[in-house]
Amino acid sequence: MEDKVQIQDAIKVQGEVVRKLKSEKASKEQIDEEVAKLLELKARLGGDDGKHQFVLKTAKGTRDYNPKQMAIREKVFNTIISCFKRHGAETIDTPVFELKETLTGKYGEDSKLIYDLKDQGGELLSLRYDLTVPFARYLAMNKITNIKRYHIAKVYRRDNPAMTRGRYREFYQCDFDIAGQYDAMIPDAECLKIVYEILHELDLGDFRIKVNDRRILDGMFAVCGVPDDKFRTICSTVDKLDKMSWEDVKKEMVNEKGLSEQAADQIGEYVSMQGGMDLAEHLLQDQKMSQSKQACAGLSDIKLLFSYLQLFQVTDKVVFDLSLARGLDYYTGVIYEAVLTQAGVASVTTEAQNGAPGSTEESVSVGSVAGGGRYDGLVGMFDPKGRKVPCVGVSIGIERIFSIMEQKAEVSAEKVRTTEVQVMVASAQKNLLEERLKLTAELWNAGIKAEVMYKKNPKLLSQLQHCEESGIPLVAILGEQELKDGVVKLRVVATREEADISRADLIDEIRRRTSDP
Amino acid sequence: MEDKVQIQDAIKVQGEVVRKLKSEKASKEQIDEEVAKLLELKARLGGDDGKHQFVLKTAKGTRDYNPKQMAIREKVFNTIISCFKRHGAETIDTPVFELKETLTGKYGEDSKLIYDLKDQGGELLSLRYDLTVPFARYLAMNKITNIKRYHIAKVYRRDNPAMTRGRYREFYQCDFDIAGQYDAMIPDAECLKIVYEILHELDLGDFRIKVNDRRILDGMFAVCGVPDDKFRTICSTVDKLDKMSWEDVKKEMVNEKGLSEQAADQIGEYVSMQGGMDLAEHLLQDQKMSQSKQACAGLSDIKLLFSYLQLFQVTDKVVFDLSLARGLDYYTGVIYEAVLTQAGVASVTTEAQNGAPGSTEESVSVGSVAGGGRYDGLVGMFDPKGRKVPCVGVSIGIERIFSIMEQKAEVSAEKVRTTEVQVMVASAQKNLLEERLKLTAELWNAGIKAEVMYKKNPKLLSQLQHCEESGIPLVAILGEQELKDGVVKLRVVATREEADISRADLIDEIRRRTSDP
């Protein structure tokens, strides 16, 4: 038994912590976490009867999926997996944790967000941070030089969660990657085609896919006079252009990172440029840019990429955007990011409530839903002899898509079914449990999705109600008379129509009435 | 830079550890782990060039799944999920880690096998040990009193791995549970029906489902004179009867656990009993057993259970077996376990090699592949007011099934396809990359699963070879002449037959030829 006085003291201290956070207007997550600690302490105090009180919650930044959410998730996954399979991808799986050293040195500053496992003897382990590093480890370990694979799994980041906007500590990634030595830009173009297909099919509203190249960024920094050792840090400042104004970005470059005003202004000119193949053409002629061999290599590849994207008929959504600068260290060539350009959820809600589609709300980016690029050096980091396997891939950020779909489903009139049950076996009379079970087993054995109430004598009304609530389209009703006649009364829940069907025809009749179009 | 001399010393010590383990004939896993540490040290020493050498492996007791293994896994999952859906189950998902205290006090001695996360500030977390406790937490947290759900996900146990026999530290569980206050034994019977259907459909050879009841075990112990405080420990000894002879079990009871010889002998009589409804009937008349109210309640329920199993037509595989005693603390009523009764893999191999199906090898149990039971108290442990939600469920142990299926696939002549590609877009001539890409995009847009080589001018032979290796049934061949004629040469890989198909008909023709029967 713990010391009561000690706990009471702890409760006082913790209460102060909560009050202070509230007065400071701390984030909801932070306050919730401290309140949870307080409740736990109070529960322990109340636990005199020997019964331990649990804090009933999931870990910070994580969530359960209820059946409705799972139904939506399954739909989204099916769309994505179909696309990956259509493009001929195999799939692999890797463990949720890796040796800690496998992840070391791959994520730069973000390494602090890695979850480590407790040292309980044996190896030091960490939860995977993405699927790309385990993929590279897998290729090197199995000496695979050629593969097109997808991998859908959860990854873990001790980030500051913002769950309402779809940012979690445990979240799914859907990765598609092509590894192998191939002719330039062909696999890269296929990755963009895949992003296009998936966002189009998920029907989330309009979108843009921004494209750039690590070599163009580096070349641009060089010709603008950025010192070599500042490329990465200036790059990460440029990366903020989607959230900050150019003025603020420039201030950070000059005041915080010590770049000359002149260099910053030159960068500013370039990063405001957007276009297509013509812009790449134009920059290849640019007096300054053309001085960098790296930049020219990148620009030529962008031109080639756009020529393939034209064949794939996806250039209407793809923009060559010099401000795109993805953070991760391991990219070596083309990079891309897809953003939804509609207010998304908000506008969906408004439309549904006002019945005014095509509202004039300003188009606002709801953030990145997919991203990727070429990383030709990562596998070599794992190979004892440093043998390289060129790779390019894309990762679909599924949580934000789930958020949008869930909110869409909420405002939609259509009910989300969480089971696929075709028929409920019911009866209006008593003492027919055995007959109901027998018929249900017959249906199961024929592959029909069927349910029966786990009661000896359920009321017909409650059986019918269950059908309406869970969207079961048919009821097979048994009664003394039906049993005598060798028939079943088949009722359509929606229309309340009933018809006697002979037992011999029942299975075919159910199949016929519930077959997908 | 680390101190070289220090590392060299550490290498010497570690070398000794490995030698000692080998001389002691320690387990392969143990030796491998220590060898890995040794290699890591050596790699660090060799790392003078500033290049860190990685130990290329997955964490102990875990595995990657390659595309072939994934194809098998997908097949097994599809069978299991179809069955769960046929029985009207919804699905949920929970995070891979829970608050540590959520898992505390649920697993008895096995708690030492729980993986904890490192304390990096914030909450104390552990990886889930099974799906049942998170399910109970989910029900209590959301105040759900009625649900039929399945959950397929990985769980984590710091157990001694025996990977060749399908025992891992990260492994899948496929759980189906029915929560709610219903009439006795109806949901319990459905769980057994589900096990029957799944094992039957997976076609793993003959199997048995053993059934018993926690109340019968407790009643039996009581009437045999086992002191109340020894029920659990004697129960766990009985649980070893599938691996140890009765003589050894008795020895453990008497010598280690201090049970009287007389009590042990009486238990021995009971636990040798196997049967069906008749045995339950017989034991209800048993002079001793009938003295225990608990036992009688359990026996009556076993009788009722068998009457439902008869309606479900599954009694041919179900045995009422008084020696079945599952370990977990939380069971309160009926318990069951399914075992494959054929040598499984071994006999499969033999059959395939000798061409002698139905070999006369003795039937050997390859261990449990499914298990479960009724746990009416677990949800109440999470509810602040202790409100109970009766539950019964079953968990399919999928890893052992994967092992068997994988080895079956290896000895089988049939090739496992890892993609579903229907057609490869190829050309025999040079400079047709653009035309190939255009046609491929047309096929993708029509929903056809298509591949194209990422080379400007691939050889026809290598394109055809790729089809044969990965089982792609069709090749769409483009050439100057075909382009001029507005046709595509469609080649059947297996027969080498070729036919010119007009571009307008191509998609329908591919669909027709690759439609699943």
Side-chain angles (χ1 to χ4, degrees):
Chain A
M1 182 70 57
E2 290 171 286
D3 184 343
K4 245 180 153 172
V5 180
Q6 257 182 3
I7 299 178
Q8 278 165 338
D9 285 349
I11 288 176
K12 273 184 209 158
V13 173
Q14 187 62 24
E16 277 306 318
V17 171
V18 172
R19 267 186 294 279
K20 189 157 170 289
L21 283 175
K22 282 183 178 169
S23 73
E24 288 167 354
K25 298 202 191 307
S27 74
K28 191 178 172 309
E29 282 84 14
Q30 218 179 337
I31 294 173
D32 283 352
E33 189 173 344
E34 297 303 327
V35 167
K37 284 184 195 162
L38 181 62
L39 289 175
E40 193 192 335
L41 285 167
K42 285 186 179 168
R44 268 201 256 159
L45 193 65
D48 281 359
D49 52 355
K51 222 174 129 190
H52 181 73
Q53 294 285 326
F54 293 93
V55 182
L56 265 179
K57 68 184 284 290
T58 60
K60 181 179 174 182
T62 68
R63 64 185 287 196
D64 295 320
Y65 282 83
N66 66 32
K68 216 175 242 180
Q69 292 163 334
M70 286 298 280
I72 291 167
R73 177 170 127 179
E74 208 176 297
K75 211 179 126 200
V76 175
F77 278 161
N78 282 343
T79 303
I80 293 173
I81 292 172
S82 298
C83 178
F84 291 163
K85 285 189 173 174
R86 191 161 59 238
H87 286 262
E90 308 176 293
T91 187
I92 68 163
D93 195 17
T94 65
V96 83
F97 45 66
E98 295 276 344
L99 298 188
K100 185 175 166 58
E101 59 165 357
T102 298
L103 307 190
T104 305
K106 307 300 185 305
Y107 302 107
E109 274 188 16
D110 288 346
S111 295
K112 65 179 184 296
L113 303 181
I114 293 174
Y115 277 100
D116 292 329
L117 267 72
K118 192 169 151 186
D119 184 359
Q120 295 169 292
E123 301 159 332
L124 291 181
L125 307 172
S126 302
L127 298 187
R128 62 184 163 209
Y129 181 85
D130 64 11
L131 303 177
T132 311
V133 168
F135 175 55
R137 191 266 305 149
Y138 173 83
L139 294 186
M141 191 171 135
N142 297 289
K143 298 192 174 56
I144 294 166
T145 54
N146 274 69
I147 191 172
K148 178 159 59 180
R149 82 89 181 79
Y150 71 90
H151 188 186
I152 296 184
K154 288 174 175 176
V155 301
Y156 298 87
R157 299 183 184 179
R158 294 180 56 253
D159 214 336
N160 228 359
M163 311 214 284
T164 46
R165 283 182 290 133
R167 257 179 64 192
Y168 293 88
R169 290 183 159 198
E170 171 183 66
F171 59 96
Y172 268 99
Q173 285 196 334
C174 304
D175 280 22
F176 173 97
D177 293 82
I178 300 171
Q181 186 69 58
Y182 298 116
D183 285 330
M185 293 298 115
I186 314 178
D188 314 60
E190 185 171 12
C191 288
L192 292 175
K193 169 81 169 135
I194 282 172
V195 175
Y196 186 104
E197 286 179 16
I198 288 173
L199 292 181
H200 179 75
E201 280 170 47
L202 287 176
D203 196 19
L204 301 165
D206 205 12
F207 60 90
R208 284 284 164 283
I209 308 174
K210 300 181 198 170
V211 178
N212 199 1
D213 193 295
R214 181 48 69 81
R215 292 164 297 172
I216 299 175
L217 281 166
D218 286 352
M220 174 183 82
F221 292 141
V223 300
C224 291
V226 178
D228 283 12
D229 60 346
K230 284 192 176 156
F231 277 18
R232 281 286 159 277
T233 183
I234 293 299
C235 191
S236 78
T237 305
V238 169
D239 200 20
K240 296 178 184 169
L241 268 173
D242 55 344
K243 284 164 209 126
M244 281 160 59
S245 69
W246 164 249
E247 283 67 39
D248 291 336
V249 165
K250 183 183 164 183
K251 245 182 240 165
E252 186 175 311
M253 285 182 179
V254 175
N255 301 345
E256 286 177 38
K257 311 223 160 153
L259 197 66
S260 74
E261 186 133 349
Q262 197 199 358
D265 283 337
Q266 286 184 11
I267 291 172
E269 256 176 62
Y270 283 121
V271 297
S272 69
M273 293 178 179
Q274 290 192 348
M277 196 193 275
D278 50 331
L279 175 58
E281 191 67 65
H282 171 78
L283 286 171
L284 274 171
Q285 313 298 329
D286 183 270
Q287 217 193 332
K288 224 189 255 297
M289 201 65 121
S290 60
Q291 285 166 16
S292 160
K293 266 193 185 169
Q294 261 203 306
C296 289
L299 289 165
S300 302
D301 273 350
I302 290 280
K303 270 183 63 184
L304 189 59
L305 177 67
F306 267 88
S307 75
Y308 296 146
L309 296 177
Q310 274 166 5
L311 295 170
F312 287 164
Q313 299 182 303
V314 296
T315 42
D316 58 320
K317 307 286 185 196
V318 183
V319 191
F320 171 33
D321 183 329
L322 275 91
S323 74
L324 177 69
R326 287 174 64 75
L328 287 169
D329 269 13
Y330 50 62
Y331 290 119
T332 54
V334 64
I335 50 178
Y336 35 81
E337 198 167 284
V339 291
L340 302 179
T341 52
Q342 292 186 326
V345 181
S347 80
V348 167
T349 316
T350 319
E351 279 175 32
Q353 287 172 348
N354 302 348
S359 82
T360 54
E361 252 182 85
E362 211 186 327
S363 183
V364 182
S365 160
V366 298
S368 154
V369 289
R374 179 161 281 283
Y375 50 101
D376 288 347
L378 189 60
V379 178
M381 288 176 74
F382 288 104
D383 189 277
K385 292 182 185 155
R387 278 169 297 211
K388 287 190 177 179
V389 178
C391 294
V392 63
V394 61
S395 183
I396 314 284
I398 208 66
E399 304 297 336
R400 199 163 288 161
I401 294 173
F402 287 151
S403 292
I404 296 171
M405 303 282 272
E406 273 174 42
Q407 294 182 48
K408 257 186 169 177
E410 246 166 61
V411 298
S412 148
E414 215 182 312
K415 223 176 146 180
V416 178
R417 277 201 73 181
T418 57
T419 75
E420 299 169 10
V421 176
Q422 298 162 288
V423 61
M424 168 109 193
V425 176
S427 70
Q429 295 154 338
K430 290 202 170 186
N431 301 320
L432 288 174
L433 173 64
E434 280 76 10
E435 291 296 338
R436 281 192 288 130
L437 293 182
K438 230 168 92 181
L439 177 57
T440 309
E442 272 173 39
L443 297 175
W444 286 333
N445 291 345
I448 303 282
K449 296 174 189 118
E451 268 196 305
V452 63
M453 280 221 148
Y454 306 125
K455 299 267 185 190
K456 275 188 189 157
N457 296 310
K459 293 195 180 107
L460 184 61
L461 191 65
S462 66
Q463 296 172 81
L464 294 177
Q465 247 166 8
H466 175 73
C467 291
E468 283 188 9
E469 277 162 17
S470 56
I472 301 172
L474 298 173
V475 198
I477 303 172
L478 285 173
E480 295 293 353
Q481 192 58 46
E482 283 82 7
L483 285 168
K484 215 176 284 168
D485 298 346
V487 300
V488 168
K489 205 176 276 309
L490 198 61
R491 178 185 169 115
V492 179
V493 176
T495 63
R496 300 182 185 189
E497 281 171 79
E498 293 184 346
D500 282 354
I501 311 288
S502 83
R503 288 287 282 249
D505 298 335
L506 182 64
I507 284 160
D508 281 341
E509 185 64 22
I510 292 171
R511 278 200 196 121
R512 202 180 58 72
R513 296 206 191 191
T514 57
S515 67
D516 281 321
Chain B
M1 180 69 60
E2 291 171 285
D3 185 343
K4 244 180 150 170
V5 180
Q6 258 182 1
I7 300 177
Q8 278 166 340
D9 283 351
I11 288 176
K12 272 184 209 158
V13 173
Q14 188 62 24
E16 277 306 318
V17 170
V18 172
R19 267 187 294 279
K20 188 155 171 289
L21 284 175
K22 282 184 179 169
S23 73
E24 288 168 354
K25 298 207 191 305
S27 75
K28 191 180 171 307
E29 283 84 13
Q30 219 180 337
I31 294 173
D32 284 351
E33 191 173 343
E34 297 303 327
V35 167
K37 285 185 194 162
L38 182 62
L39 289 176
E40 193 192 335
L41 286 167
K42 284 187 178 167
R44 269 202 255 159
L45 193 66
D48 280 0
D49 53 354
K51 223 175 125 187
H52 182 72
Q53 296 284 325
F54 293 92
V55 181
L56 265 180
K57 69 186 283 291
T58 59
K60 181 178 173 183
T62 69
R63 65 185 287 197
D64 295 319
Y65 282 82
N66 67 32
K68 216 173 239 178
Q69 292 162 334
M70 287 297 280
I72 292 166
R73 178 170 127 178
E74 208 176 296
K75 213 179 126 200
V76 174
F77 279 161
N78 282 343
T79 302
I80 293 173
I81 292 172
S82 298
C83 177
F84 291 163
K85 286 190 173 175
R86 190 161 60 238
H87 287 261
E90 308 177 293
T91 186
I92 68 162
D93 195 18
T94 65
V96 82
F97 44 67
E98 294 278 344
L99 297 188
K100 185 174 165 60
E101 60 167 356
T102 298
L103 307 190
T104 305
K106 307 298 185 307
Y107 303 108
E109 273 189 18
D110 288 345
S111 293
K112 63 179 187 295
L113 303 181
I114 293 175
Y115 277 99
D116 291 329
L117 268 71
K118 191 169 151 186
D119 184 358
Q120 295 169 291
E123 303 160 332
L124 292 181
L125 306 172
S126 302
L127 299 187
R128 61 183 164 211
Y129 182 85
D130 64 11
L131 302 177
T132 311
V133 169
F135 176 54
R137 191 266 304 147
Y138 174 82
L139 294 187
M141 191 170 134
N142 296 289
K143 299 193 174 53
I144 295 167
T145 54
N146 274 69
I147 192 171
K148 179 159 58 177
R149 82 89 181 80
Y150 71 89
H151 188 187
I152 296 185
K154 287 174 175 176
V155 302
Y156 298 88
R157 298 183 185 180
R158 294 180 56 252
D159 213 337
N160 229 359
M163 310 215 283
T164 46
R165 283 182 290 132
R167 257 180 61 192
Y168 293 88
R169 290 183 158 198
E170 171 183 64
F171 59 97
Y172 268 98
Q173 285 195 334
C174 304
D175 280 23
F176 173 97
D177 293 81
I178 300 171
Q181 186 68 58
Y182 297 117
D183 284 331
M185 293 298 115
I186 314 178
D188 314 59
E190 185 171 11
C191 288
L192 292 175
K193 168 82 169 133
I194 281 173
V195 175
Y196 186 103
E197 286 180 17
I198 289 173
L199 293 181
H200 179 76
E201 280 170 47
L202 287 176
D203 195 19
L204 301 165
D206 205 12
F207 60 90
R208 284 285 164 283
I209 307 173
K210 300 181 198 170
V211 178
N212 199 0
D213 193 295
R214 180 49 69 81
R215 292 164 297 173
I216 299 175
L217 281 166
D218 286 351
M220 173 182 83
F221 293 141
V223 301
C224 291
V226 178
D228 282 13
D229 61 347
K230 285 193 175 154
F231 277 17
R232 281 287 158 275
T233 183
I234 293 298
C235 190
S236 77
T237 305
V238 168
D239 201 20
K240 296 178 184 169
L241 268 173
D242 55 343
K243 285 164 207 127
M244 281 160 59
S245 70
W246 165 248
E247 283 67 38
D248 291 336
V249 166
K250 182 181 165 185
K251 245 182 241 164
E252 186 175 310
M253 285 180 179
V254 175
N255 300 344
E256 286 176 40
K257 312 226 159 151
L259 198 65
S260 76
E261 185 133 349
Q262 197 197 359
D265 283 337
Q266 286 184 11
I267 291 172
E269 254 176 63
Y270 282 122
V271 297
S272 69
M273 294 179 178
Q274 291 191 348
M277 197 192 275
D278 50 331
L279 175 59
E281 190 67 65
H282 171 77
L283 286 171
L284 275 170
Q285 313 298 329
D286 183 271
Q287 215 193 336
K288 226 190 253 296
M289 202 65 120
S290 59
Q291 287 166 14
S292 160
K293 266 192 186 170
Q294 260 203 305
C296 289
L299 289 165
S300 300
D301 273 350
I302 289 281
K303 269 183 64 185
L304 189 59
L305 177 67
F306 267 88
S307 75
Y308 295 148
L309 296 178
Q310 272 166 6
L311 296 170
F312 288 165
Q313 298 184 303
V314 297
T315 42
D316 58 319
K317 308 285 186 196
V318 183
V319 192
F320 172 32
D321 183 330
L322 275 90
S323 74
L324 177 69
R326 287 174 64 76
L328 288 169
D329 268 13
Y330 49 61
Y331 290 120
T332 53
V334 63
I335 51 177
Y336 35 82
E337 198 168 283
V339 291
L340 302 179
T341 50
Q342 292 185 326
V345 181
S347 80
V348 167
T349 317
T350 320
E351 279 175 33
Q353 286 174 349
N354 303 347
S359 81
T360 54
E361 253 181 85
E362 210 185 327
S363 184
V364 182
S365 160
V366 298
S368 155
V369 290
R374 179 162 280 285
Y375 50 101
D376 289 346
L378 189 59
V379 178
M381 289 175 74
F382 288 104
D383 189 277
K385 291 181 186 156
R387 278 168 298 211
K388 286 190 177 179
V389 178
C391 295
V392 63
V394 60
S395 183
I396 313 285
I398 208 66
E399 304 297 338
R400 199 164 285 161
I401 293 174
F402 286 151
S403 292
I404 296 170
M405 303 283 270
E406 273 174 41
Q407 294 182 48
K408 256 186 171 177
E410 246 166 61
V411 298
S412 149
E414 213 182 314
K415 222 175 148 180
V416 179
R417 277 200 74 181
T418 57
T419 76
E420 298 170 11
V421 176
Q422 296 162 288
V423 61
M424 167 110 195
V425 176
S427 71
Q429 295 154 339
K430 290 202 168 185
N431 301 321
L432 289 173
L433 173 63
E434 280 76 10
E435 292 295 341
R436 281 192 289 129
L437 292 182
K438 233 168 89 181
L439 177 57
T440 309
E442 272 173 40
L443 298 175
W444 287 333
N445 291 346
I448 302 281
K449 295 174 190 118
E451 268 197 304
V452 62
M453 281 220 148
Y454 305 125
K455 298 268 184 188
K456 276 187 189 157
N457 297 308
K459 293 195 180 110
L460 184 62
L461 191 65
S462 67
Q463 296 172 82
L464 295 177
Q465 248 166 7
H466 175 73
C467 292
E468 284 188 9
E469 279 160 16
S470 57
I472 301 172
L474 298 173
V475 198
I477 302 173
L478 285 174
E480 296 293 353
Q481 191 58 48
E482 283 82 8
L483 286 168
K484 216 175 284 169
D485 298 347
V487 299
V488 168
K489 206 177 274 309
L490 198 60
R491 177 185 170 114
V492 179
V493 176
T495 62
R496 300 182 184 189
E497 280 171 79
E498 293 184 345
D500 281 354
I501 311 288
S502 84
R503 288 287 281 250
D505 298 336
L506 182 63
I507 285 160
D508 281 341
E509 185 64 22
I510 293 170
R511 279 199 195 122
R512 203 181 58 73
R513 296 204 190 193
T514 56
S515 68
D516 282 321

